[in-house]
Amino acid sequence: MAHYQVICLSCQAVQDEAAMTSPAVGCTRCGGPLGFHYDYQDVRWDGRFGRTMWRYWRLLPVPDPTQLVTLGEGGTPLLPSRMLTGARVYLKDETRNPTGSHKDRPLSVAINHARRMGATASFVVSTGSTGISNAALAACAGLKSVVLMTQGTPAARVYPMYALGSQVVEVEGAIDDLIEQVIQLCRRHGLYLSSTSRASNPYQAEGNKTIAYELVEELGRAPDWVVVPVGGGGTLAGLLRGFQDLQRLGHVERLPRLVGVVPRDYNALEVAFQRGLTRWEEVLALPYHDCPPSILVKLAHSYPPDGMEALEAVRACGGWFLSVTDEEALAAQEACGRQEGLYVEPSTGAALAGAARLLQGGEVRPEETVVVLVSGSGFRENFVTMERRPLEKRTTTVQKLETVLLAMA
Amino acid sequence: MAHYQVICLSCQAVQDEAAMTSPAVGCTRCGGPLGFHYDYQDVRWDGRFGRTMWRYWRLLPVPDPTQLVTLGEGGTPLLPSRMLTGARVYLKDETRNPTGSHKDRPLSVAINHARRMGATASFVVSTGSTGISNAALAACAGLKSVVLMTQGTPAARVYPMYALGSQVVEVEGAIDDLIEQVIQLCRRHGLYLSSTSRASNPYQAEGNKTIAYELVEELGRAPDWVVVPVGGGGTLAGLLRGFQDLQRLGHVERLPRLVGVVPRDYNALEVAFQRGLTRWEEVLALPYHDCPPSILVKLAHSYPPDGMEALEAVRACGGWFLSVTDEEALAAQEACGRQEGLYVEPSTGAALAGAARLLQGGEVRPEETVVVLVSGSGFRENFVTMERRPLEKRTTTVQKLETVLLAMA
């Protein structure tokens, strides 16, 4: 018997996983969003998978762990922070995943499911980390990868997907139309969609739970706070479900408070939280149709697809949302390079700036533990950072080298 | 008592480590190159350091492991290869190190030594991985990083060093002059030099041994073959010393055969091996003064600084050198992306092309184990790869999406 069941999150109806034609389908009874129930009676971590996220397969939707394909996702370091002070602050360094971001976790769950379903290709809509993860993990599994994006995405951002064997398709038109169309087409034609929203694929959403499992293993307890950059909302929501699993298993006493960080110009969740909005229609009525440019492209969702889940998660654990500007994010990214030795993407800079604000706010006690999710590597966004803060270098001659070296020592 | 001694590799004189003013000095008695002797009586791996390379500190020159600073170097996955067949082939994925290359291992040893010596800055001559590792690890240790390079290095390659807080200095003139000048100046003024050659710094050279320790732990025995991209020669030489340590400890019965891969136009070591040259002066007499352009910049040493050590290492274990062209390296890099799901740097492509040649050569038996050192990530060399193989993408409209998706499934 499988250690999990696919269920409808609305009507709780158990779904027939074997009859599922695409991960983008809803409940066969009510059309609601899908999720999972696990057997909590027999959960133990599996040492055969080393430090990777797959040692947690008993709380992931994989029936047979011996059939897994993996590049070794997860098992990322937890590093003490130097730049953030005022509490015990740690950085969960997700740049150490196979393609340099935490998205490798959800995509690994998706691709393994795709393979099990007999899919020949994995589709995603993405201009960023998800597209790169899809390309890498599909290649490793022997599947085709197709990444769809709107026109005008910089070639340097897209190139790694291509280098990893993905087909790259630019689609004329608005991003929201594209996302909706792709969900409908994948549903209709039984194509495998691996985009990281629950409506696209509920399997991938489970991968984010493993970050919580690792944090508790590394700390020996739950942290008191976790600061998370929020784009679509699925990472934050998945983190909370991970901690809830551990609470249910008796591994942690109480949930950490999750603080979601969003871009200032895309702060619908912050406003929704502050106003106490409880229905998604109310969030959709907030005025975020402008889409101003932001360096935080990976977080810049007007109406985050998993926003309602993220809102509920933050409320369930006593957390909140806060927003930061591009400038704050870039300053924090720079400080992280200089003080921590980690070259992170601007979105991670947003989380670090948010954590600094949290630590200055007086809510966190000095003996408490704060974890900041370092979501992705700056090496993949090198061209973006270079544009905003050009290289300063010094030029000298071999003859003058002695003076220069002594001045710099 | 310390578990190691600094010794002269020429006259075996024990050095007074506390009196050392720079890692770039030679033997106080004869001026010879320095190395280390370890106490093999009490070697066990230290679980406090998780899966990182620091669990092997008893075979590294660090007196007090509780004082280490680390970003979590090492502990990288060993992945079964899909693209290379004919034996049991594995990829040692060193892209999973903190800055995406195996250079984080030697630099971590160097930076911890620099900190112990009270240095305020770590200098390197580098246009590549070493410069990035130096920047990251110096930042993590609270030291300044200074990276020196010749003029004309592409800004995109240098930028991560700057983003990690390093000072970047371009020096007019030839690279060989620069290297020699910097060694002399660091020696004279007691500056800390972390360049990855023994003459610059014998401490860093020990970090490469940990790759061998990990391979044996992961495989449960020594591999039969290890294919290594060779630039300066120190990585290959360090690997062999690692296996020799384990042989001495009784962990492995015999040494693997190491095969070093060099660029076709910079194949002095291949020629020296084939001709049986035994003195470095003979190697220096080979005609490699032209310096033709190569995409394999990280491997393109006319006369590799640790070449003699690498040559002796290959001979000691029954291995050899072979050379590959830029085109072969690029084709292997591309295949690695498409078939393995790993976006690697061109230098790693060279190693993969070399491994393919080895596997076709009939020397390797099908039941033997071959490990290829996947030395560095392609994300940091994205701009180089883009220039050589431009992005191919398809453009369509939302209306035509259905046809496009079905054709790609």
Side-chain angles (χ1 to χ4, degrees), chain A residues 262-298:
Chain A
V262 293
R264 179 63 45 85
D265 289 339
Y266 291 85
N267 69 336
L269 293 180
E270 181 183 38
V271 171
F273 177 82
Q274 286 167 352
R275 297 192 190 164
L277 306 188
T278 54
R279 292 183 308 113
W280 192 239
E281 294 70 37
E282 295 174 303
V283 179
L284 289 177
L286 296 172
Y288 289 93
H289 294 285
D290 275 2
C291 304
S294 168
I295 198 171
L296 303 169
V297 279
K298 291 172 180 177

mmCIF file of all heavy atoms in Angstrom, chain A residues 262-298:
data_model
loop_
_atom_site.group_PDB
_atom_site.id
_atom_site.type_symbol
_atom_site.label_atom_id
_atom_site.label_comp_id
_atom_site.label_asym_id
_atom_site.label_seq_id
_atom_site.Cartn_x
_atom_site.Cartn_y
_atom_site.Cartn_z
ATOM 1 N N VAL A 262 8.110 40.402 0.012
ATOM 2 C CA VAL A 262 7.668 40.657 -1.368
ATOM 3 C C VAL A 262 8.233 41.989 -1.851
ATOM 4 O O VAL A 262 8.627 42.829 -1.043
ATOM 5 C CB VAL A 262 6.108 40.680 -1.451
ATOM 6 C CG1 VAL A 262 5.537 39.287 -1.173
ATOM 7 C CG2 VAL A 262 5.519 41.707 -0.505
ATOM 8 N N PRO A 263 8.300 42.189 -3.179
ATOM 9 C CA PRO A 263 8.771 43.488 -3.687
ATOM 10 C C PRO A 263 7.750 44.588 -3.350
ATOM 11 O O PRO A 263 6.544 44.348 -3.357
ATOM 12 C CB PRO A 263 8.841 43.281 -5.202
ATOM 13 C CG PRO A 263 8.780 41.798 -5.417
ATOM 14 C CD PRO A 263 7.997 41.247 -4.273
ATOM 15 N N ARG A 264 8.262 45.765 -3.092
ATOM 16 C CA ARG A 264 7.406 46.897 -2.704
ATOM 17 C C ARG A 264 6.272 47.133 -3.713
ATOM 18 O O ARG A 264 5.129 47.378 -3.329
ATOM 19 C CB ARG A 264 8.273 48.166 -2.570
ATOM 20 C CG ARG A 264 7.560 49.447 -2.199
ATOM 21 C CD ARG A 264 6.895 49.398 -0.819
ATOM 22 N NE ARG A 264 7.721 48.841 0.230
ATOM 23 C CZ ARG A 264 8.627 49.518 0.947
ATOM 24 N NH1 ARG A 264 8.847 50.795 0.724
ATOM 25 N NH2 ARG A 264 9.314 48.914 1.895
ATOM 26 N N ASP A 265 6.576 47.046 -5.008
ATOM 27 C CA ASP A 265 5.561 47.336 -6.025
ATOM 28 C C ASP A 265 4.667 46.141 -6.328
ATOM 29 O O ASP A 265 3.753 46.247 -7.160
ATOM 30 C CB ASP A 265 6.241 47.790 -7.326
ATOM 31 C CG ASP A 265 6.853 49.180 -7.179
ATOM 32 O OD1 ASP A 265 6.434 49.926 -6.271
ATOM 33 O OD2 ASP A 265 7.762 49.498 -7.960
ATOM 34 N N TYR A 266 4.943 45.025 -5.693
ATOM 35 C CA TYR A 266 4.137 43.806 -5.911
ATOM 36 C C TYR A 266 3.775 43.223 -4.545
ATOM 37 O O TYR A 266 4.009 42.058 -4.277
ATOM 38 C CB TYR A 266 4.946 42.793 -6.739
ATOM 39 C CG TYR A 266 5.172 43.235 -8.162
ATOM 40 C CD1 TYR A 266 6.226 44.076 -8.497
ATOM 41 C CD2 TYR A 266 4.305 42.822 -9.180
ATOM 42 C CE1 TYR A 266 6.419 44.500 -9.803
ATOM 43 C CE2 TYR A 266 4.492 43.230 -10.492
ATOM 44 C CZ TYR A 266 5.557 44.078 -10.792
ATOM 45 O OH TYR A 266 5.738 44.480 -12.096
ATOM 46 N N ASN A 267 3.174 44.094 -3.721
ATOM 47 C CA ASN A 267 2.966 43.684 -2.328
ATOM 48 C C ASN A 267 1.509 43.368 -2.000
ATOM 49 O O ASN A 267 1.025 43.665 -0.905
ATOM 50 C CB ASN A 267 3.530 44.743 -1.375
ATOM 51 C CG ASN A 267 2.722 46.036 -1.407
ATOM 52 O OD1 ASN A 267 2.056 46.298 -2.406
ATOM 53 N ND2 ASN A 267 2.774 46.805 -0.346
ATOM 54 N N ALA A 268 0.797 42.764 -2.958
ATOM 55 C CA ALA A 268 -0.612 42.435 -2.716
ATOM 56 C C ALA A 268 -0.776 41.592 -1.451
ATOM 57 O O ALA A 268 -1.720 41.802 -0.678
ATOM 58 C CB ALA A 268 -1.187 41.688 -3.925
ATOM 59 N N LEU A 269 0.144 40.678 -1.214
ATOM 60 C CA LEU A 269 -0.004 39.807 -0.038
ATOM 61 C C LEU A 269 0.210 40.581 1.266
ATOM 62 O O LEU A 269 -0.467 40.332 2.261
ATOM 63 C CB LEU A 269 0.957 38.621 -0.124
ATOM 64 C CG LEU A 269 0.680 37.617 -1.245
ATOM 65 C CD1 LEU A 269 1.704 36.485 -1.226
ATOM 66 C CD2 LEU A 269 -0.741 37.060 -1.165
ATOM 67 N N GLU A 270 1.119 41.531 1.231
ATOM 68 C CA GLU A 270 1.331 42.360 2.430
ATOM 69 C C GLU A 270 0.073 43.154 2.754
ATOM 70 O O GLU A 270 -0.392 43.187 3.901
ATOM 71 C CB GLU A 270 2.518 43.310 2.195
ATOM 72 C CG GLU A 270 2.831 44.199 3.383
ATOM 73 C CD GLU A 270 3.972 45.196 3.115
ATOM 74 O OE1 GLU A 270 4.067 45.732 1.985
ATOM 75 O OE2 GLU A 270 4.762 45.442 4.030
ATOM 76 N N VAL A 271 -0.509 43.751 1.720
ATOM 77 C CA VAL A 271 -1.733 44.550 1.916
ATOM 78 C C VAL A 271 -2.887 43.645 2.340
ATOM 79 O O VAL A 271 -3.648 43.953 3.269
ATOM 80 C CB VAL A 271 -2.068 45.330 0.621
ATOM 81 C CG1 VAL A 271 -3.429 45.990 0.703
ATOM 82 C CG2 VAL A 271 -0.975 46.356 0.338
ATOM 83 N N ALA A 272 -3.014 42.509 1.671
ATOM 84 C CA ALA A 272 -4.093 41.568 2.009
ATOM 85 C C ALA A 272 -3.974 41.115 3.460
ATOM 86 O O ALA A 272 -4.983 41.014 4.180
ATOM 87 C CB ALA A 272 -4.032 40.360 1.078
ATOM 88 N N PHE A 273 -2.741 40.861 3.890
ATOM 89 C CA PHE A 273 -2.525 40.436 5.280
ATOM 90 C C PHE A 273 -2.934 41.555 6.235
ATOM 91 O O PHE A 273 -3.671 41.340 7.199
ATOM 92 C CB PHE A 273 -1.058 40.065 5.495
ATOM 93 C CG PHE A 273 -0.756 39.685 6.906
ATOM 94 C CD1 PHE A 273 -1.014 38.396 7.360
ATOM 95 C CD2 PHE A 273 -0.242 40.618 7.808
ATOM 96 C CE1 PHE A 273 -0.749 38.048 8.683
ATOM 97 C CE2 PHE A 273 0.016 40.269 9.122
ATOM 98 C CZ PHE A 273 -0.239 38.983 9.560
ATOM 99 N N GLN A 274 -2.463 42.765 5.938
ATOM 100 C CA GLN A 274 -2.730 43.896 6.841
ATOM 101 C C GLN A 274 -4.219 44.204 6.928
ATOM 102 O O GLN A 274 -4.731 44.579 7.980
ATOM 103 C CB GLN A 274 -1.965 45.139 6.374
ATOM 104 C CG GLN A 274 -0.457 45.029 6.668
ATOM 105 C CD GLN A 274 0.364 46.080 5.941
ATOM 106 O OE1 GLN A 274 -0.152 46.815 5.091
ATOM 107 N NE2 GLN A 274 1.647 46.148 6.255
ATOM 108 N N ARG A 275 -4.927 44.040 5.803
ATOM 109 C CA ARG A 275 -6.365 44.345 5.791
ATOM 110 C C ARG A 275 -7.223 43.157 6.221
ATOM 111 O O ARG A 275 -8.443 43.254 6.228
ATOM 112 C CB ARG A 275 -6.792 44.781 4.388
ATOM 113 C CG ARG A 275 -6.105 46.067 3.964
ATOM 114 C CD ARG A 275 -6.746 46.631 2.724
ATOM 115 N NE ARG A 275 -5.928 47.719 2.201
ATOM 116 C CZ ARG A 275 -6.041 48.216 0.979
ATOM 117 N NH1 ARG A 275 -6.960 47.709 0.145
ATOM 118 N NH2 ARG A 275 -5.267 49.195 0.574
ATOM 119 N N GLY A 276 -6.570 42.039 6.481
ATOM 120 C CA GLY A 276 -7.327 40.873 6.929
ATOM 121 C C GLY A 276 -8.205 40.247 5.856
ATOM 122 O O GLY A 276 -9.251 39.649 6.158
ATOM 123 N N LEU A 277 -7.816 40.368 4.600
ATOM 124 C CA LEU A 277 -8.617 39.784 3.518
ATOM 125 C C LEU A 277 -8.595 38.254 3.623
ATOM 126 O O LEU A 277 -7.549 37.660 3.886
ATOM 127 C CB LEU A 277 -8.081 40.214 2.151
ATOM 128 C CG LEU A 277 -7.920 41.730 1.923
ATOM 129 C CD1 LEU A 277 -7.566 42.006 0.454
ATOM 130 C CD2 LEU A 277 -9.176 42.499 2.326
ATOM 131 N N THR A 278 -9.729 37.619 3.407
ATOM 132 C CA THR A 278 -9.803 36.162 3.563
ATOM 133 C C THR A 278 -10.257 35.457 2.284
ATOM 134 O O THR A 278 -10.244 34.238 2.217
ATOM 135 C CB THR A 278 -10.788 35.772 4.687
ATOM 136 O OG1 THR A 278 -12.061 36.397 4.409
ATOM 137 C CG2 THR A 278 -10.267 36.217 6.041
ATOM 138 N N ARG A 279 -10.675 36.236 1.275
ATOM 139 C CA ARG A 279 -11.100 35.599 0.027
ATOM 140 C C ARG A 279 -10.208 36.092 -1.109
ATOM 141 O O ARG A 279 -9.814 37.260 -1.148
ATOM 142 C CB ARG A 279 -12.580 35.915 -0.258
ATOM 143 C CG ARG A 279 -13.520 35.252 0.764
ATOM 144 C CD ARG A 279 -14.993 35.512 0.444
ATOM 145 N NE ARG A 279 -15.254 36.934 0.260
ATOM 146 C CZ ARG A 279 -15.599 37.506 -0.900
ATOM 147 N NH1 ARG A 279 -15.746 36.763 -1.985
ATOM 148 N NH2 ARG A 279 -15.814 38.799 -0.964
ATOM 149 N N TRP A 280 -9.890 35.201 -2.050
ATOM 150 C CA TRP A 280 -8.988 35.538 -3.147
ATOM 151 C C TRP A 280 -9.565 36.628 -4.030
ATOM 152 O O TRP A 280 -8.810 37.465 -4.566
ATOM 153 C CB TRP A 280 -8.629 34.290 -3.955
ATOM 154 C CG TRP A 280 -7.484 34.511 -4.920
ATOM 155 C CD1 TRP A 280 -7.521 34.355 -6.271
ATOM 156 C CD2 TRP A 280 -6.170 34.961 -4.609
ATOM 157 N NE1 TRP A 280 -6.308 34.667 -6.821
ATOM 158 C CE2 TRP A 280 -5.442 35.048 -5.808
ATOM 159 C CE3 TRP A 280 -5.521 35.302 -3.406
ATOM 160 C CZ2 TRP A 280 -4.117 35.457 -5.860
ATOM 161 C CZ3 TRP A 280 -4.192 35.716 -3.468
ATOM 162 C CH2 TRP A 280 -3.507 35.792 -4.683
ATOM 163 N N GLU A 281 -10.884 36.667 -4.161
ATOM 164 C CA GLU A 281 -11.519 37.715 -4.974
ATOM 165 C C GLU A 281 -11.181 39.100 -4.424
ATOM 166 O O GLU A 281 -11.003 40.055 -5.183
ATOM 167 C CB GLU A 281 -13.041 37.538 -4.992
ATOM 168 C CG GLU A 281 -13.521 36.284 -5.692
ATOM 169 C CD GLU A 281 -13.190 35.002 -4.914
ATOM 170 O OE1 GLU A 281 -13.249 35.018 -3.663
ATOM 171 O OE2 GLU A 281 -12.828 34.009 -5.576
ATOM 172 N N GLU A 282 -11.081 39.185 -3.109
ATOM 173 C CA GLU A 282 -10.733 40.480 -2.500
ATOM 174 C C GLU A 282 -9.288 40.874 -2.864
ATOM 175 O O GLU A 282 -9.003 42.052 -3.085
ATOM 176 C CB GLU A 282 -10.855 40.397 -0.978
ATOM 177 C CG GLU A 282 -12.278 40.159 -0.485
ATOM 178 C CD GLU A 282 -12.313 39.927 1.034
ATOM 179 O OE1 GLU A 282 -11.627 39.004 1.519
ATOM 180 O OE2 GLU A 282 -13.028 40.674 1.715
ATOM 181 N N VAL A 283 -8.417 39.876 -2.911
ATOM 182 C CA VAL A 283 -7.024 40.171 -3.287
ATOM 183 C C VAL A 283 -6.968 40.614 -4.749
ATOM 184 O O VAL A 283 -6.295 41.588 -5.094
ATOM 185 C CB VAL A 283 -6.108 38.940 -3.051
ATOM 186 C CG1 VAL A 283 -4.667 39.231 -3.457
ATOM 187 C CG2 VAL A 283 -6.185 38.503 -1.589
ATOM 188 N N LEU A 284 -7.713 39.908 -5.586
ATOM 189 C CA LEU A 284 -7.726 40.245 -7.019
ATOM 190 C C LEU A 284 -8.272 41.641 -7.280
ATOM 191 O O LEU A 284 -8.019 42.236 -8.324
ATOM 192 C CB LEU A 284 -8.542 39.211 -7.807
ATOM 193 C CG LEU A 284 -7.916 37.819 -7.950
ATOM 194 C CD1 LEU A 284 -8.876 36.882 -8.694
ATOM 195 C CD2 LEU A 284 -6.581 37.884 -8.679
ATOM 196 N N ALA A 285 -9.041 42.171 -6.333
ATOM 197 C CA ALA A 285 -9.600 43.517 -6.486
ATOM 198 C C ALA A 285 -8.589 44.602 -6.109
ATOM 199 O O ALA A 285 -8.823 45.788 -6.351
ATOM 200 C CB ALA A 285 -10.869 43.653 -5.634
ATOM 201 N N LEU A 286 -7.454 44.213 -5.540
ATOM 202 C CA LEU A 286 -6.415 45.203 -5.216
ATOM 203 C C LEU A 286 -5.763 45.674 -6.522
ATOM 204 O O LEU A 286 -5.663 44.924 -7.488
ATOM 205 C CB LEU A 286 -5.356 44.590 -4.290
ATOM 206 C CG LEU A 286 -5.832 44.160 -2.892
ATOM 207 C CD1 LEU A 286 -4.724 43.398 -2.161
ATOM 208 C CD2 LEU A 286 -6.274 45.361 -2.063
ATOM 209 N N PRO A 287 -5.302 46.934 -6.558
ATOM 210 C CA PRO A 287 -4.828 47.517 -7.837
ATOM 211 C C PRO A 287 -3.367 47.182 -8.163
ATOM 212 O O PRO A 287 -2.476 47.967 -7.862
ATOM 213 C CB PRO A 287 -5.004 49.022 -7.598
ATOM 214 C CG PRO A 287 -4.794 49.190 -6.127
ATOM 215 C CD PRO A 287 -5.236 47.909 -5.456
ATOM 216 N N TYR A 288 -3.139 46.024 -8.771
ATOM 217 C CA TYR A 288 -1.771 45.657 -9.154
ATOM 218 C C TYR A 288 -1.682 45.300 -10.634
ATOM 219 O O TYR A 288 -1.065 44.319 -11.002
ATOM 220 C CB TYR A 288 -1.270 44.500 -8.291
ATOM 221 C CG TYR A 288 -0.999 44.922 -6.876
ATOM 222 C CD1 TYR A 288 -1.979 44.800 -5.902
ATOM 223 C CD2 TYR A 288 0.221 45.492 -6.540
ATOM 224 C CE1 TYR A 288 -1.739 45.212 -4.599
ATOM 225 C CE2 TYR A 288 0.469 45.904 -5.241
ATOM 226 C CZ TYR A 288 -0.518 45.765 -4.280
ATOM 227 O OH TYR A 288 -0.265 46.182 -3.001
ATOM 228 N N HIS A 289 -2.342 46.093 -11.491
ATOM 229 C CA HIS A 289 -2.323 45.768 -12.913
ATOM 230 C C HIS A 289 -1.212 46.474 -13.679
ATOM 231 O O HIS A 289 -0.989 46.214 -14.844
ATOM 232 C CB HIS A 289 -3.694 46.051 -13.546
ATOM 233 C CG HIS A 289 -4.755 45.146 -13.012
ATOM 234 N ND1 HIS A 289 -4.855 43.830 -13.387
ATOM 235 C CD2 HIS A 289 -5.716 45.357 -12.086
ATOM 236 C CE1 HIS A 289 -5.855 43.262 -12.730
ATOM 237 N NE2 HIS A 289 -6.392 44.167 -11.928
ATOM 238 N N ASP A 290 -0.501 47.387 -13.014
ATOM 239 C CA ASP A 290 0.498 48.225 -13.685
ATOM 240 C C ASP A 290 1.763 47.471 -14.110
ATOM 241 O O ASP A 290 2.318 47.759 -15.161
ATOM 242 C CB ASP A 290 0.955 49.345 -12.735
ATOM 243 C CG ASP A 290 0.002 50.526 -12.821
ATOM 244 O OD1 ASP A 290 -0.976 50.426 -13.573
ATOM 245 O OD2 ASP A 290 0.256 51.530 -12.128
ATOM 246 N N CYS A 291 2.212 46.563 -13.265
ATOM 247 C CA CYS A 291 3.449 45.827 -13.528
ATOM 248 C C CYS A 291 4.655 46.726 -13.801
ATOM 249 O O CYS A 291 5.265 46.674 -14.870
ATOM 250 C CB CYS A 291 3.275 44.850 -14.686
ATOM 251 S SG CYS A 291 1.913 43.703 -14.433
ATOM 252 N N PRO A 292 5.023 47.573 -12.837
ATOM 253 C CA PRO A 292 6.222 48.406 -13.020
ATOM 254 C C PRO A 292 7.472 47.532 -13.080
ATOM 255 O O PRO A 292 7.478 46.426 -12.536
ATOM 256 C CB PRO A 292 6.237 49.283 -11.757
ATOM 257 C CG PRO A 292 5.450 48.523 -10.747
ATOM 258 C CD PRO A 292 4.437 47.736 -11.505
ATOM 259 N N PRO A 293 8.526 48.001 -13.766
ATOM 260 C CA PRO A 293 9.744 47.194 -13.827
ATOM 261 C C PRO A 293 10.357 47.015 -12.443
ATOM 262 O O PRO A 293 10.276 47.898 -11.598
ATOM 263 C CB PRO A 293 10.674 48.021 -14.725
ATOM 264 C CG PRO A 293 10.134 49.408 -14.678
ATOM 265 C CD PRO A 293 8.668 49.285 -14.459
ATOM 266 N N SER A 294 10.934 45.842 -12.210
ATOM 267 C CA SER A 294 11.611 45.575 -10.942
ATOM 268 C C SER A 294 12.761 44.640 -11.223
ATOM 269 O O SER A 294 12.667 43.767 -12.088
ATOM 270 C CB SER A 294 10.652 44.923 -9.944
ATOM 271 O OG SER A 294 11.370 44.419 -8.825
ATOM 272 N N ILE A 295 13.845 44.826 -10.482
ATOM 273 C CA ILE A 295 14.962 43.896 -10.629
ATOM 274 C C ILE A 295 14.602 42.544 -10.017
ATOM 275 O O ILE A 295 15.200 41.518 -10.320
ATOM 276 C CB ILE A 295 16.247 44.480 -9.996
ATOM 277 C CG1 ILE A 295 17.467 43.740 -10.539
ATOM 278 C CG2 ILE A 295 16.203 44.430 -8.481
ATOM 279 C CD1 ILE A 295 18.792 44.339 -10.183
ATOM 280 N N LEU A 296 13.581 42.528 -9.190
ATOM 281 C CA LEU A 296 13.167 41.301 -8.497
ATOM 282 C C LEU A 296 12.176 40.513 -9.344
ATOM 283 O O LEU A 296 11.079 40.149 -8.905
ATOM 284 C CB LEU A 296 12.570 41.659 -7.132
ATOM 285 C CG LEU A 296 13.506 42.467 -6.217
ATOM 286 C CD1 LEU A 296 12.762 42.998 -5.006
ATOM 287 C CD2 LEU A 296 14.701 41.628 -5.805
ATOM 288 N N VAL A 297 12.564 40.247 -10.598
ATOM 289 C CA VAL A 297 11.652 39.602 -11.547
ATOM 290 C C VAL A 297 11.077 38.290 -11.030
ATOM 291 O O VAL A 297 9.931 37.945 -11.327
ATOM 292 C CB VAL A 297 12.326 39.314 -12.917
ATOM 293 C CG1 VAL A 297 12.337 40.555 -13.775
ATOM 294 C CG2 VAL A 297 13.731 38.781 -12.751
ATOM 295 N N LYS A 298 11.866 37.568 -10.258
ATOM 296 C CA LYS A 298 11.397 36.259 -9.805
ATOM 297 C C LYS A 298 10.321 36.365 -8.734
ATOM 298 O O LYS A 298 9.622 35.401 -8.446
ATOM 299 C CB LYS A 298 12.577 35.433 -9.271
ATOM 300 C CG LYS A 298 13.521 35.029 -10.387
ATOM 301 C CD LYS A 298 14.769 34.384 -9.869
ATOM 302 C CE LYS A 298 15.662 34.009 -11.047
ATOM 303 N NZ LYS A 298 16.945 33.441 -10.588
#
